[in-house]
Amino acid sequence: MTTASRVRALPASSRDDAGSAPEPSPAPRQGSTPRSRRPGDGIWPWLFIAPLMVGISVFYLWPIAQTAYLSLTDSGPFGGSTFAGLQNFVELVADPQLYLSIGNTLLYTGIVLLGIPLAVFLASLLNIPGLRFASFYRVLFFLPYVAMPTAVAMVWRVIFNGDFGLINYGLGFLGVDGPYWISTPVFAMVAVAIVGLWSSLGFSLIVLAAGLKNIPPELYEAAELDGASRWAQFRSITVPLLSPSTFFVTIVTVISSFQLFDLLYAILGSSNPVLPRSMSLVYFFYREGFVNNDKGYAAAIAMVIFLIIGLVTAVQFRFQKKWVQSA
């Protein structure tokens, strides 16, 4: 039999495009085991993530479990605790201070969230091609975010001063008598929220500016060739394609707003008479746990804060697909 007849005798699947039979693959070495069947391969991924899991367990899961247990106990002022079941939660639901602190926290969160549209607008301005000193402006906006809350609060306490503060001084030129911002219940939380908006603006701007870099410039060029104005490009291209970054900033802002404590405490002070009517959820927790020394009741408040943040975040993720778009 000739070589050509041998090739024709082979099955079609064993011949390559050139018509010649492929060389047989080398047989596995004696004693070797395929990689997928080697014993012990399944443990390596767990070893690599073990340090992270230990950190999460020690610093997150264990404190949550301990707080959940404390919320079911009745702690005395001199130490010791007894199991009380859901008694702390029953008292908490009937406590008007809970709903007052939730309302104040929601007011603060709503005002701080107004800084996100402002950050989108400023990030778009800083993304204009050829803008001089753009990096300097980004650093300037980001500085309030990294400043110490205590130092920021002391500066803003002077600005909000009812007698010689800068805001009331400016209102005086308009013929308006400014209020005593941080000593009036109606304006105290608004003043704190304005400082929170100012402090968080830099972080939102930096994240949104990074998101703008991911939008293909060809989209703006095509829109400009079609005669679209700057506003039309911003409305139809920038806002929809920046929605993933906007969603992330919204999640972070909501979570941090529900954790309001240090800024409120530093601006209003511990002896301010309006503090009982202007406290946040976390300050309510602090007062019950460290001032009134009721650890069980404070743990119940902490669990409510945990559940509210989890519920709000879950709702945001639930509606993510309806308004978040990608390039």
Side-chain angles (χ1 to χ4, degrees), residues 97 100 104 157 180-189 264-265 267-279 283 287:
Q97 293 290 334
L100 177 64
N104 291 332
R157 288 186 68 173
Y180 286 86
W181 292 89
I182 60 177
S183 58
T184 305
V186 180
F187 297 103
M189 183 56 68
L264 176 72
Y265 188 84
I267 292 179
L268 300 185
S270 59
S271 60
N272 195 321
V274 304
L275 192 57
R277 300 179 59 184
S278 304
M279 62 181 177
Y283 187 88
R287 190 190 69 175

PDB file of all heavy atoms in Angstrom, residues 97 100 104 157 180-189 264-265 267-279 283 287:
ATOM      1  N   GLN A  97     -37.744  58.993  71.040  1.00  0.00           N
ATOM      2  CA  GLN A  97     -36.408  59.434  70.651  1.00  0.00           C
ATOM      3  C   GLN A  97     -35.889  58.657  69.446  1.00  0.00           C
ATOM      4  O   GLN A  97     -35.097  59.179  68.648  1.00  0.00           O
ATOM      5  CB  GLN A  97     -35.435  59.256  71.829  1.00  0.00           C
ATOM      6  CG  GLN A  97     -35.701  60.168  73.020  1.00  0.00           C
ATOM      7  CD  GLN A  97     -35.372  61.613  72.699  1.00  0.00           C
ATOM      8  OE1 GLN A  97     -34.542  61.900  71.849  1.00  0.00           O
ATOM      9  NE2 GLN A  97     -36.030  62.536  73.397  1.00  0.00           N
ATOM     10  N   LEU A 100     -37.399  60.348  66.382  1.00  0.00           N
ATOM     11  CA  LEU A 100     -36.789  61.662  66.220  1.00  0.00           C
ATOM     12  C   LEU A 100     -35.394  61.545  65.629  1.00  0.00           C
ATOM     13  O   LEU A 100     -35.031  62.287  64.703  1.00  0.00           O
ATOM     14  CB  LEU A 100     -36.733  62.379  67.581  1.00  0.00           C
ATOM     15  CG  LEU A 100     -36.054  63.743  67.590  1.00  0.00           C
ATOM     16  CD1 LEU A 100     -36.817  64.741  66.741  1.00  0.00           C
ATOM     17  CD2 LEU A 100     -35.911  64.259  69.022  1.00  0.00           C
ATOM     18  N   ASN A 104     -34.039  62.911  61.982  1.00  0.00           N
ATOM     19  CA  ASN A 104     -32.861  63.772  61.846  1.00  0.00           C
ATOM     20  C   ASN A 104     -31.821  63.156  60.918  1.00  0.00           C
ATOM     21  O   ASN A 104     -31.192  63.855  60.107  1.00  0.00           O
ATOM     22  CB  ASN A 104     -32.241  64.038  63.219  1.00  0.00           C
ATOM     23  CG  ASN A 104     -33.113  64.918  64.095  1.00  0.00           C
ATOM     24  OD1 ASN A 104     -33.884  65.738  63.592  1.00  0.00           O
ATOM     25  ND2 ASN A 104     -33.011  64.742  65.404  1.00  0.00           N
ATOM     26  N   ARG A 157     -18.035  76.187  63.135  1.00  0.00           N
ATOM     27  CA  ARG A 157     -18.726  76.768  64.287  1.00  0.00           C
ATOM     28  C   ARG A 157     -18.564  78.279  64.303  1.00  0.00           C
ATOM     29  O   ARG A 157     -19.486  79.018  64.668  1.00  0.00           O
ATOM     30  CB  ARG A 157     -18.197  76.164  65.585  1.00  0.00           C
ATOM     31  CG  ARG A 157     -18.612  74.733  65.820  1.00  0.00           C
ATOM     32  CD  ARG A 157     -18.186  74.223  67.178  1.00  0.00           C
ATOM     33  NE  ARG A 157     -18.917  74.895  68.254  1.00  0.00           N
ATOM     34  CZ  ARG A 157     -18.836  74.537  69.526  1.00  0.00           C
ATOM     35  NH1 ARG A 157     -18.040  73.534  69.880  1.00  0.00           N
ATOM     36  NH2 ARG A 157     -19.530  75.172  70.445  1.00  0.00           N
ATOM     37  N   TYR A 180     -29.546  81.893  64.950  1.00  0.00           N
ATOM     38  CA  TYR A 180     -28.479  81.233  65.698  1.00  0.00           C
ATOM     39  C   TYR A 180     -28.472  79.773  65.236  1.00  0.00           C
ATOM     40  O   TYR A 180     -29.229  78.937  65.734  1.00  0.00           O
ATOM     41  CB  TYR A 180     -28.712  81.359  67.200  1.00  0.00           C
ATOM     42  CG  TYR A 180     -28.430  82.744  67.732  1.00  0.00           C
ATOM     43  CD1 TYR A 180     -29.411  83.722  67.711  1.00  0.00           C
ATOM     44  CD2 TYR A 180     -27.165  83.073  68.228  1.00  0.00           C
ATOM     45  CE1 TYR A 180     -29.155  84.997  68.177  1.00  0.00           C
ATOM     46  CE2 TYR A 180     -26.899  84.346  68.698  1.00  0.00           C
ATOM     47  CZ  TYR A 180     -27.891  85.304  68.668  1.00  0.00           C
ATOM     48  OH  TYR A 180     -27.625  86.590  69.136  1.00  0.00           O
ATOM     49  N   TRP A 181     -27.586  79.484  64.283  1.00  0.00           N
ATOM     50  CA  TRP A 181     -27.659  78.244  63.539  1.00  0.00           C
ATOM     51  C   TRP A 181     -27.536  77.005  64.421  1.00  0.00           C
ATOM     52  O   TRP A 181     -28.360  76.098  64.341  1.00  0.00           O
ATOM     53  CB  TRP A 181     -26.576  78.223  62.453  1.00  0.00           C
ATOM     54  CG  TRP A 181     -26.802  79.220  61.364  1.00  0.00           C
ATOM     55  CD1 TRP A 181     -26.369  80.516  61.326  1.00  0.00           C
ATOM     56  CD2 TRP A 181     -27.554  79.011  60.165  1.00  0.00           C
ATOM     57  NE1 TRP A 181     -26.790  81.132  60.179  1.00  0.00           N
ATOM     58  CE2 TRP A 181     -27.515  80.227  59.440  1.00  0.00           C
ATOM     59  CE3 TRP A 181     -28.233  77.932  59.621  1.00  0.00           C
ATOM     60  CZ2 TRP A 181     -28.134  80.391  58.209  1.00  0.00           C
ATOM     61  CZ3 TRP A 181     -28.850  78.079  58.395  1.00  0.00           C
ATOM     62  CH2 TRP A 181     -28.809  79.285  57.695  1.00  0.00           C
ATOM     63  N   ILE A 182     -26.504  76.966  65.239  1.00  0.00           N
ATOM     64  CA  ILE A 182     -26.225  75.726  65.969  1.00  0.00           C
ATOM     65  C   ILE A 182     -26.884  75.695  67.345  1.00  0.00           C
ATOM     66  O   ILE A 182     -26.659  74.749  68.115  1.00  0.00           O
ATOM     67  CB  ILE A 182     -24.709  75.496  66.112  1.00  0.00           C
ATOM     68  CG1 ILE A 182     -24.047  76.638  66.866  1.00  0.00           C
ATOM     69  CG2 ILE A 182     -24.069  75.313  64.752  1.00  0.00           C
ATOM     70  CD1 ILE A 182     -22.569  76.430  67.097  1.00  0.00           C
ATOM     71  N   SER A 183     -27.695  76.686  67.667  1.00  0.00           N
ATOM     72  CA  SER A 183     -28.411  76.661  68.942  1.00  0.00           C
ATOM     73  C   SER A 183     -29.916  76.767  68.751  1.00  0.00           C
ATOM     74  O   SER A 183     -30.653  77.013  69.706  1.00  0.00           O
ATOM     75  CB  SER A 183     -27.926  77.807  69.849  1.00  0.00           C
ATOM     76  OG  SER A 183     -28.105  79.072  69.218  1.00  0.00           O
ATOM     77  N   THR A 184     -30.375  76.563  67.517  1.00  0.00           N
ATOM     78  CA  THR A 184     -31.805  76.552  67.209  1.00  0.00           C
ATOM     79  C   THR A 184     -32.158  75.175  66.663  1.00  0.00           C
ATOM     80  O   THR A 184     -31.534  74.720  65.693  1.00  0.00           O
ATOM     81  CB  THR A 184     -32.156  77.628  66.166  1.00  0.00           C
ATOM     82  OG1 THR A 184     -31.705  78.905  66.639  1.00  0.00           O
ATOM     83  CG2 THR A 184     -33.650  77.679  65.928  1.00  0.00           C
ATOM     84  N   PRO A 185     -33.127  74.495  67.264  1.00  0.00           N
ATOM     85  CA  PRO A 185     -33.421  73.116  66.813  1.00  0.00           C
ATOM     86  C   PRO A 185     -33.743  73.001  65.334  1.00  0.00           C
ATOM     87  O   PRO A 185     -33.408  72.009  64.696  1.00  0.00           O
ATOM     88  CB  PRO A 185     -34.617  72.727  67.691  1.00  0.00           C
ATOM     89  CG  PRO A 185     -34.521  73.597  68.892  1.00  0.00           C
ATOM     90  CD  PRO A 185     -33.946  74.897  68.418  1.00  0.00           C
ATOM     91  N   VAL A 186     -34.407  74.005  64.758  1.00  0.00           N
ATOM     92  CA  VAL A 186     -34.805  73.911  63.360  1.00  0.00           C
ATOM     93  C   VAL A 186     -33.596  73.941  62.433  1.00  0.00           C
ATOM     94  O   VAL A 186     -33.560  73.280  61.397  1.00  0.00           O
ATOM     95  CB  VAL A 186     -35.779  75.057  63.008  1.00  0.00           C
ATOM     96  CG1 VAL A 186     -36.202  74.988  61.547  1.00  0.00           C
ATOM     97  CG2 VAL A 186     -37.001  75.020  63.923  1.00  0.00           C
ATOM     98  N   PHE A 187     -32.572  74.709  62.810  1.00  0.00           N
ATOM     99  CA  PHE A 187     -31.439  74.917  61.916  1.00  0.00           C
ATOM    100  C   PHE A 187     -30.197  74.109  62.300  1.00  0.00           C
ATOM    101  O   PHE A 187     -29.242  74.070  61.515  1.00  0.00           O
ATOM    102  CB  PHE A 187     -31.051  76.409  61.898  1.00  0.00           C
ATOM    103  CG  PHE A 187     -32.123  77.308  61.374  1.00  0.00           C
ATOM    104  CD1 PHE A 187     -32.889  78.072  62.237  1.00  0.00           C
ATOM    105  CD2 PHE A 187     -32.393  77.371  60.013  1.00  0.00           C
ATOM    106  CE1 PHE A 187     -33.887  78.909  61.755  1.00  0.00           C
ATOM    107  CE2 PHE A 187     -33.383  78.197  59.521  1.00  0.00           C
ATOM    108  CZ  PHE A 187     -34.140  78.967  60.395  1.00  0.00           C
ATOM    109  N   ALA A 188     -30.171  73.502  63.470  1.00  0.00           N
ATOM    110  CA  ALA A 188     -28.958  72.820  63.914  1.00  0.00           C
ATOM    111  C   ALA A 188     -28.585  71.670  62.982  1.00  0.00           C
ATOM    112  O   ALA A 188     -27.440  71.567  62.518  1.00  0.00           O
ATOM    113  CB  ALA A 188     -29.133  72.321  65.349  1.00  0.00           C
ATOM    114  N   MET A 189     -29.544  70.783  62.685  1.00  0.00           N
ATOM    115  CA  MET A 189     -29.254  69.655  61.807  1.00  0.00           C
ATOM    116  C   MET A 189     -28.987  70.107  60.382  1.00  0.00           C
ATOM    117  O   MET A 189     -28.161  69.512  59.673  1.00  0.00           O
ATOM    118  CB  MET A 189     -30.412  68.660  61.844  1.00  0.00           C
ATOM    119  CG  MET A 189     -30.183  67.404  61.013  1.00  0.00           C
ATOM    120  SD  MET A 189     -28.671  66.493  61.444  1.00  0.00           S
ATOM    121  CE  MET A 189     -29.083  65.909  63.078  1.00  0.00           C
ATOM    122  N   LEU A 264     -21.458  65.767  64.067  1.00  0.00           N
ATOM    123  CA  LEU A 264     -22.545  66.305  64.892  1.00  0.00           C
ATOM    124  C   LEU A 264     -22.052  66.654  66.284  1.00  0.00           C
ATOM    125  O   LEU A 264     -22.352  67.744  66.818  1.00  0.00           O
ATOM    126  CB  LEU A 264     -23.673  65.281  64.956  1.00  0.00           C
ATOM    127  CG  LEU A 264     -24.858  65.623  65.850  1.00  0.00           C
ATOM    128  CD1 LEU A 264     -25.685  66.732  65.233  1.00  0.00           C
ATOM    129  CD2 LEU A 264     -25.736  64.387  66.078  1.00  0.00           C
ATOM    130  N   TYR A 265     -21.280  65.756  66.883  1.00  0.00           N
ATOM    131  CA  TYR A 265     -20.779  65.970  68.233  1.00  0.00           C
ATOM    132  C   TYR A 265     -19.815  67.144  68.287  1.00  0.00           C
ATOM    133  O   TYR A 265     -19.820  67.930  69.238  1.00  0.00           O
ATOM    134  CB  TYR A 265     -20.093  64.700  68.729  1.00  0.00           C
ATOM    135  CG  TYR A 265     -19.702  64.720  70.184  1.00  0.00           C
ATOM    136  CD1 TYR A 265     -20.629  64.394  71.167  1.00  0.00           C
ATOM    137  CD2 TYR A 265     -18.416  65.065  70.576  1.00  0.00           C
ATOM    138  CE1 TYR A 265     -20.282  64.406  72.510  1.00  0.00           C
ATOM    139  CE2 TYR A 265     -18.054  65.083  71.905  1.00  0.00           C
ATOM    140  CZ  TYR A 265     -18.995  64.755  72.875  1.00  0.00           C
ATOM    141  OH  TYR A 265     -18.653  64.783  74.196  1.00  0.00           O
ATOM    142  N   ILE A 267     -19.608  69.786  66.160  1.00  0.00           N
ATOM    143  CA  ILE A 267     -20.212  71.085  65.844  1.00  0.00           C
ATOM    144  C   ILE A 267     -21.166  71.544  66.942  1.00  0.00           C
ATOM    145  O   ILE A 267     -21.105  72.699  67.395  1.00  0.00           O
ATOM    146  CB  ILE A 267     -20.950  71.007  64.487  1.00  0.00           C
ATOM    147  CG1 ILE A 267     -19.953  70.820  63.345  1.00  0.00           C
ATOM    148  CG2 ILE A 267     -21.776  72.273  64.249  1.00  0.00           C
ATOM    149  CD1 ILE A 267     -20.593  70.712  61.976  1.00  0.00           C
ATOM    150  N   LEU A 268     -22.050  70.663  67.395  1.00  0.00           N
ATOM    151  CA  LEU A 268     -23.028  71.073  68.396  1.00  0.00           C
ATOM    152  C   LEU A 268     -22.479  71.050  69.811  1.00  0.00           C
ATOM    153  O   LEU A 268     -22.884  71.846  70.647  1.00  0.00           O
ATOM    154  CB  LEU A 268     -24.269  70.172  68.303  1.00  0.00           C
ATOM    155  CG  LEU A 268     -25.016  70.185  66.960  1.00  0.00           C
ATOM    156  CD1 LEU A 268     -26.283  69.350  67.061  1.00  0.00           C
ATOM    157  CD2 LEU A 268     -25.341  71.603  66.525  1.00  0.00           C
ATOM    158  N   GLY A 269     -21.546  70.138  70.101  1.00  0.00           N
ATOM    159  CA  GLY A 269     -21.001  70.045  71.444  1.00  0.00           C
ATOM    160  C   GLY A 269     -21.900  69.217  72.355  1.00  0.00           C
ATOM    161  O   GLY A 269     -23.102  69.050  72.107  1.00  0.00           O
ATOM    162  N   SER A 270     -21.326  68.721  73.429  1.00  0.00           N
ATOM    163  CA  SER A 270     -22.070  67.836  74.334  1.00  0.00           C
ATOM    164  C   SER A 270     -23.023  68.574  75.251  1.00  0.00           C
ATOM    165  O   SER A 270     -23.948  67.963  75.816  1.00  0.00           O
ATOM    166  CB  SER A 270     -21.085  67.020  75.176  1.00  0.00           C
ATOM    167  OG  SER A 270     -20.245  67.888  75.930  1.00  0.00           O
ATOM    168  N   SER A 271     -22.834  69.879  75.448  1.00  0.00           N
ATOM    169  CA  SER A 271     -23.685  70.646  76.361  1.00  0.00           C
ATOM    170  C   SER A 271     -24.698  71.532  75.648  1.00  0.00           C
ATOM    171  O   SER A 271     -25.336  72.367  76.275  1.00  0.00           O
ATOM    172  CB  SER A 271     -22.809  71.517  77.276  1.00  0.00           C
ATOM    173  OG  SER A 271     -22.020  72.418  76.512  1.00  0.00           O
ATOM    174  N   ASN A 272     -24.842  71.355  74.342  1.00  0.00           N
ATOM    175  CA  ASN A 272     -25.781  72.169  73.584  1.00  0.00           C
ATOM    176  C   ASN A 272     -27.210  71.771  73.945  1.00  0.00           C
ATOM    177  O   ASN A 272     -27.562  70.589  73.876  1.00  0.00           O
ATOM    178  CB  ASN A 272     -25.541  71.974  72.083  1.00  0.00           C
ATOM    179  CG  ASN A 272     -26.209  73.042  71.246  1.00  0.00           C
ATOM    180  OD1 ASN A 272     -27.315  73.484  71.525  1.00  0.00           O
ATOM    181  ND2 ASN A 272     -25.523  73.473  70.195  1.00  0.00           N
ATOM    182  N   PRO A 273     -28.060  72.722  74.331  1.00  0.00           N
ATOM    183  CA  PRO A 273     -29.433  72.354  74.741  1.00  0.00           C
ATOM    184  C   PRO A 273     -30.286  71.805  73.605  1.00  0.00           C
ATOM    185  O   PRO A 273     -31.317  71.172  73.872  1.00  0.00           O
ATOM    186  CB  PRO A 273     -30.008  73.676  75.272  1.00  0.00           C
ATOM    187  CG  PRO A 273     -29.185  74.747  74.636  1.00  0.00           C
ATOM    188  CD  PRO A 273     -27.814  74.167  74.479  1.00  0.00           C
ATOM    189  N   VAL A 274     -29.900  72.020  72.349  1.00  0.00           N
ATOM    190  CA  VAL A 274     -30.708  71.516  71.229  1.00  0.00           C
ATOM    191  C   VAL A 274     -30.303  70.096  70.834  1.00  0.00           C
ATOM    192  O   VAL A 274     -30.943  69.493  69.967  1.00  0.00           O
ATOM    193  CB  VAL A 274     -30.587  72.435  69.999  1.00  0.00           C
ATOM    194  CG1 VAL A 274     -30.969  73.857  70.335  1.00  0.00           C
ATOM    195  CG2 VAL A 274     -29.186  72.397  69.413  1.00  0.00           C
ATOM    196  N   LEU A 275     -29.261  69.560  71.461  1.00  0.00           N
ATOM    197  CA  LEU A 275     -28.771  68.247  71.058  1.00  0.00           C
ATOM    198  C   LEU A 275     -29.804  67.138  71.242  1.00  0.00           C
ATOM    199  O   LEU A 275     -29.926  66.260  70.367  1.00  0.00           O
ATOM    200  CB  LEU A 275     -27.486  67.917  71.825  1.00  0.00           C
ATOM    201  CG  LEU A 275     -26.701  66.711  71.329  1.00  0.00           C
ATOM    202  CD1 LEU A 275     -26.337  66.867  69.855  1.00  0.00           C
ATOM    203  CD2 LEU A 275     -25.427  66.534  72.151  1.00  0.00           C
ATOM    204  N   PRO A 276     -30.593  67.106  72.329  1.00  0.00           N
ATOM    205  CA  PRO A 276     -31.600  66.044  72.438  1.00  0.00           C
ATOM    206  C   PRO A 276     -32.632  66.053  71.306  1.00  0.00           C
ATOM    207  O   PRO A 276     -33.224  65.017  71.009  1.00  0.00           O
ATOM    208  CB  PRO A 276     -32.269  66.331  73.787  1.00  0.00           C
ATOM    209  CG  PRO A 276     -31.232  67.046  74.575  1.00  0.00           C
ATOM    210  CD  PRO A 276     -30.505  67.896  73.570  1.00  0.00           C
ATOM    211  N   ARG A 277     -32.826  67.189  70.660  1.00  0.00           N
ATOM    212  CA  ARG A 277     -33.790  67.278  69.562  1.00  0.00           C
ATOM    213  C   ARG A 277     -33.107  67.227  68.199  1.00  0.00           C
ATOM    214  O   ARG A 277     -33.785  67.255  67.175  1.00  0.00           O
ATOM    215  CB  ARG A 277     -34.609  68.574  69.692  1.00  0.00           C
ATOM    216  CG  ARG A 277     -35.402  68.669  70.987  1.00  0.00           C
ATOM    217  CD  ARG A 277     -36.158  69.975  71.075  1.00  0.00           C
ATOM    218  NE  ARG A 277     -37.085  70.135  69.947  1.00  0.00           N
ATOM    219  CZ  ARG A 277     -37.816  71.242  69.744  1.00  0.00           C
ATOM    220  NH1 ARG A 277     -37.718  72.257  70.597  1.00  0.00           N
ATOM    221  NH2 ARG A 277     -38.625  71.316  68.713  1.00  0.00           N
ATOM    222  N   SER A 278     -31.778  67.180  68.177  1.00  0.00           N
ATOM    223  CA  SER A 278     -31.041  67.181  66.908  1.00  0.00           C
ATOM    224  C   SER A 278     -30.076  66.011  66.800  1.00  0.00           C
ATOM    225  O   SER A 278     -29.168  66.037  65.975  1.00  0.00           O
ATOM    226  CB  SER A 278     -30.258  68.499  66.752  1.00  0.00           C
ATOM    227  OG  SER A 278     -31.108  69.612  66.848  1.00  0.00           O
ATOM    228  N   MET A 279     -30.262  64.984  67.605  1.00  0.00           N
ATOM    229  CA  MET A 279     -29.305  63.881  67.602  1.00  0.00           C
ATOM    230  C   MET A 279     -29.603  62.910  66.477  1.00  0.00           C
ATOM    231  O   MET A 279     -30.740  62.761  66.020  1.00  0.00           O
ATOM    232  CB  MET A 279     -29.320  63.152  68.944  1.00  0.00           C
ATOM    233  CG  MET A 279     -30.633  62.509  69.302  1.00  0.00           C
ATOM    234  SD  MET A 279     -30.541  61.708  70.919  1.00  0.00           S
ATOM    235  CE  MET A 279     -32.221  61.130  71.091  1.00  0.00           C
ATOM    236  N   TYR A 283     -25.663  58.923  67.507  1.00  0.00           N
ATOM    237  CA  TYR A 283     -25.537  59.668  68.776  1.00  0.00           C
ATOM    238  C   TYR A 283     -26.540  59.132  69.802  1.00  0.00           C
ATOM    239  O   TYR A 283     -26.228  59.084  70.999  1.00  0.00           O
ATOM    240  CB  TYR A 283     -25.769  61.158  68.548  1.00  0.00           C
ATOM    241  CG  TYR A 283     -25.476  61.965  69.791  1.00  0.00           C
ATOM    242  CD1 TYR A 283     -24.183  62.421  70.045  1.00  0.00           C
ATOM    243  CD2 TYR A 283     -26.472  62.234  70.735  1.00  0.00           C
ATOM    244  CE1 TYR A 283     -23.900  63.133  71.203  1.00  0.00           C
ATOM    245  CE2 TYR A 283     -26.197  62.943  71.887  1.00  0.00           C
ATOM    246  CZ  TYR A 283     -24.913  63.391  72.113  1.00  0.00           C
ATOM    247  OH  TYR A 283     -24.630  64.090  73.264  1.00  0.00           O
ATOM    248  N   ARG A 287     -25.396  57.896  73.433  1.00  0.00           N
ATOM    249  CA  ARG A 287     -25.954  58.415  74.686  1.00  0.00           C
ATOM    250  C   ARG A 287     -26.450  57.300  75.588  1.00  0.00           C
ATOM    251  O   ARG A 287     -26.199  57.303  76.803  1.00  0.00           O
ATOM    252  CB  ARG A 287     -27.099  59.383  74.372  1.00  0.00           C
ATOM    253  CG  ARG A 287     -27.597  60.157  75.578  1.00  0.00           C
ATOM    254  CD  ARG A 287     -28.867  60.910  75.278  1.00  0.00           C
ATOM    255  NE  ARG A 287     -29.995  59.996  75.080  1.00  0.00           N
ATOM    256  CZ  ARG A 287     -31.252  60.417  74.898  1.00  0.00           C
ATOM    257  NH1 ARG A 287     -31.523  61.717  74.822  1.00  0.00           N
ATOM    258  NH2 ARG A 287     -32.221  59.530  74.733  1.00  0.00           N
TER     259      ARG A 287
END
